[in-house]
Amino acid sequence: QVQLVESGGGLVQAGGSLRLSCAASGRTFSGTPMGWFRQAPGKEREWVAAITGSGGATTYTDSVKGRFTISRDNAKNMVYLQMNTLKPEDTAVYYCALNSRLGVPTMPESYGYWGQGTQVTVSS
């Protein structure tokens, strides 16, 4: 019913920027909260950012606050993660997810649908 596909990852030098995109299909995207997570090899999945269904409010984990911006365009069925001033510790596979269970935004179990992930590598 819902499919999410991330794009925009790649290799960037420390201090650089990337914009990740997440394209959604299905009729349940608009009005539903969305989130971005990331996972590095050997590490637990980490919540990064969340946005309300309307796009009117956002929240971030402390390590990216002030550097990353989550946004959405419901008319285009798209959600974005603008990443500025990237650091090597930002290196991970990034996933977008749909908070279809309307749970706590920071908890992975709140999200019923996930994209395949896109690799972000920040060189030191």
Side-chain angles (χ1 to χ4, degrees):
Q1 182 178 349
V2 177
Q3 185 177 15
L4 306 173
V5 180
E6 302 96 335
S7 62
L11 176 64
V12 65
Q13 295 186 42
S17 298
L18 284 173
R19 188 181 77 161
L20 305 184
S21 299
C22 177
S25 62
R27 295 173 61 87
T28 61
F29 173 76
S30 297
T32 304
M34 295 285 296
W36 285 94
F37 290 76
R38 65 187 182 185
Q39 188 168 23
K43 304 290 186 179
E44 284 193 347
R45 183 170 40 186
E46 177 189 24
W47 171 74
V48 176
I51 188 168
T52 57
S54 68
T58 60
T59 187
Y60 305 88
T61 192
D62 286 344
S63 64
V64 309
K65 195 171 185 179
R67 300 188 298 119
F68 289 13
T69 303
I70 186 173
S71 62
R72 67 191 299 163
D73 186 340
N74 287 338
K76 298 180 179 179
N77 285 355
M78 297 288 292
V79 63
Y80 307 97
L81 186 68
Q82 178 67 46
M83 305 185 295
N84 298 327
T85 319
L86 282 161
K87 304 174 180 179
E89 50 262 47
D90 295 319
T91 296
V93 177
Y94 283 71
Y95 301 89
C96 67
L98 181 70
N99 192 344
S100 56
R101 296 164 184 159
L102 303 180
V104 178
T106 59
M107 300 179 67
E109 54 264 42
S110 299
Y111 297 82
Y113 299 91
W114 297 79
Q116 85 288 353
T118 185
Q119 176 71 49
V120 172
T121 302
V122 184
S123 63
S124 57

